[in-house]
Amino acid sequence: MEDPDGLGRGKTPAILLRGIVKDYETGDVPTRVLNGIDLRIDQGEFVAIVGPSGSGKTTLMNILGLMDSPTAGSFELQGRDVSSLSADQRAEARGKTFGFIFQRYNLLANETAVENVGLPGAYIGMPSAQRKERAVSLLEGLGLGHRIANKPPQLSGGEQQRVAVARALMNGGEIILADEPTGALDTARGQELMARIRKLHRQGLTVILITHDPGVAAQADRMIRIVDGEIIIDEATERSAVPDEALQEADSLPALPSLAERGRITLLADAAEAFRMALHALQANSFRTFLTMLGIIIGVASVVAMLAIGEGSRRDMQQWMSRMGTNVLRIEPGAKMSYNSGTLTLQDARAIADISHVQEIVPRVFSACTLRYRDRIYACTVLATTPSFIRAEKRVMVRGGFFDERDEEAKAPVVVLGMKAYLELFPDRSDPVGKRILIDGAPFLVVGVITVSGGSADGRDREDDIALIPLSTGEARIFRSVRINQISVTVDDYVNVEAVQDEIRSRLNRLRQQEDFRIFNQAAMIETNRNTQSAYRFLLGAVGVVSLLVGGIGVMNIMLVNVVERTREIGVRMACGARSRDIQFQFLTEAVLVCLLGGVIGVLLGMLVSEFGTIGQSKAVVTLAPVVLSFAAAFVTGVLFGFWPARKASQLDPVVALSSE
Ligand code: ADP
Ligand code: MG
């Protein structure tokens, strides 16, 4: 094999650096931290890198671990030129090739030991069951089988460092990079860790270890001394014999579990993992999470509640309008702008009965009368009308029935009592049907009791304060002459109202020779009502959008704080092989989760408020649409306002992130 540098020993080297230079831009002049490093490390070597503080050891290690790129020079990793790799490819290679052990352990405080160890597995797409199994067996091999469910704060320094070692072994990477791994441990724990690292080396791993402790460096096979960014010594060590007794469970340390054939990880499992980690992160800061959610909760709850209240009043209005009849015309006597009352007669009513689209004609004569039953006397309005009344009006028979055409023809003395009149005459609520009452002294037979549909059963409605008799009977027995107060005309469909109205006007004009009547329809009222409704809905929608916006800004604010606070965690994840899109997905998931949780609580709260909320007499009605809508809005808010912080997190430089406090 060609070997121009004289560095080669025949095989493909694990690491081959040529002329590596690293400059840092500090102010105007770049500082040269690495100055032409040539280095070959073969597979299975155990190399210690030593040198004074600030000499460039960590910088070199970051370049070796694909955390950082050199300013100049070439780098072949296991025979592959890595200078042209994209950031994602570097992350992937990092996750599969290297295991990092840091001085400060760098474990994720919110995750258990087994989850910390399994973390790198997630980034190379190891299915979670397999990840857990391997993490557990690694921890057991390091004598931490009883600590797998503990979180780092519950572990001693030595135990944390063992968890970190297990994590470095998780993906079966062949090169262990350790930066001052014993720096934070006492001598005994440091010895134990070194014994463990030597054992890993004997099992075939390549170990590159930075230290300033000569005793530690002496345990490696080869020592490289760096001063001012240059290698000044590269020599084999005279290995001081360190007994492996320091390692208590030395014999029980099993061979590395082999990396089983990896199953394909699904997108769903990926999302589930991000979801699980997001949940942990949110739990770790539950009070802050709650405060963040509050904006979303208030926004969603207010949308749900206000729309429910709006819907309630809309339905009431609709019911009222349908009771008033939007397809009903009213003809009343008297010319427009005149006090002359005019008259309408049954002849007028008959003249318009055959107009097409007309369903019912209901003439009405109102008269104030006195009702009497035994010793009860009650004064109310008597309405003389035709049997068509019961078909045209949305009324409900409470007792008995309505008078019919035969009664009308026979001028029968029958009466249907409105609920209110009934209750006044029959306070004991006994059955009035078949009883005789007097109307202005004339005897009438009660045939039924009527109430407004959807009205209250206690006769509170103004329209219940009447007694109804056939028009012909009234003409014969009560009134001296019939002056019709109103003719209502029911049209088959709302859209035909205008045409029918025109036809009525022309027929009555022909018949009466003058327009001494007025025709009313509800079209104008419907229009006004529709406008009010849409303005109202727009207002509610605007309030909802504004409150969700405010909530979303709150989420964004907290997520930005989160990113800053967890910069180091992001660095650790990147060292474990996370690509920037993994980081982005992670933080986005958190934001969406906050918003969705806020959405759920908001919906429930909104429904609770709706339960008690009313406007006037209208009961709030929760419908599916606003619930789904506000929930979707919460989701969109999470995505929109989580996107930027998540992106910010994903674009952090791994080295900067990892070295942040
Ligand atoms: P060592 O690990 O050997 O103590 P480092 O590799 O951490 O040294 O640092 C080498 C030099 O590079 C130091 O002088 C340090 O100040 C400088 N340095 C490291 N990182 C940066 C950076 N991101 N920007 C500017 N200078 C840096
Ligand atoms: Mg350092």
Side-chain angles (χ1 to χ4, degrees), residues 582-605:
D582 294 320
I583 301 292
Q584 190 170 353
F585 191 57
Q586 165 92 45
F587 278 85
L588 199 56
T589 305
E590 278 180 34
V592 169
L593 198 62
V594 169
C595 289
L596 283 187
L597 273 176
V600 171
I601 297 174
V603 164
L604 293 179
L605 190 68

Side-chain angles (χ1 to χ4, degrees), residues 24-26 31 33 51-60 179 656:
Y24 278 121
E25 304 288 340
T26 44
T31 326
V33 179
S53 178
S55 56
K57 305 182 294 295
T58 298
T59 305
L60 176 61
D179 193 350
V656 174

Side-chain angles (χ1 to χ4, degrees), residues 64 112 173 197 226 283 306 387 426 473 528 652:
L64 290 179
T112 62
I197 288 177
I226 296 185
Q283 266 169 0
M306 283 190 297
F426 296 86
T473 313
T528 313
L652 286 174

Side-chain angles (χ1 to χ4, degrees), residues 89-100:
Q89 285 169 325
R90 293 158 66 83
E92 197 186 332
R94 190 187 310 144
K96 288 178 177 166
T97 319
F98 298 104
F100 287 88

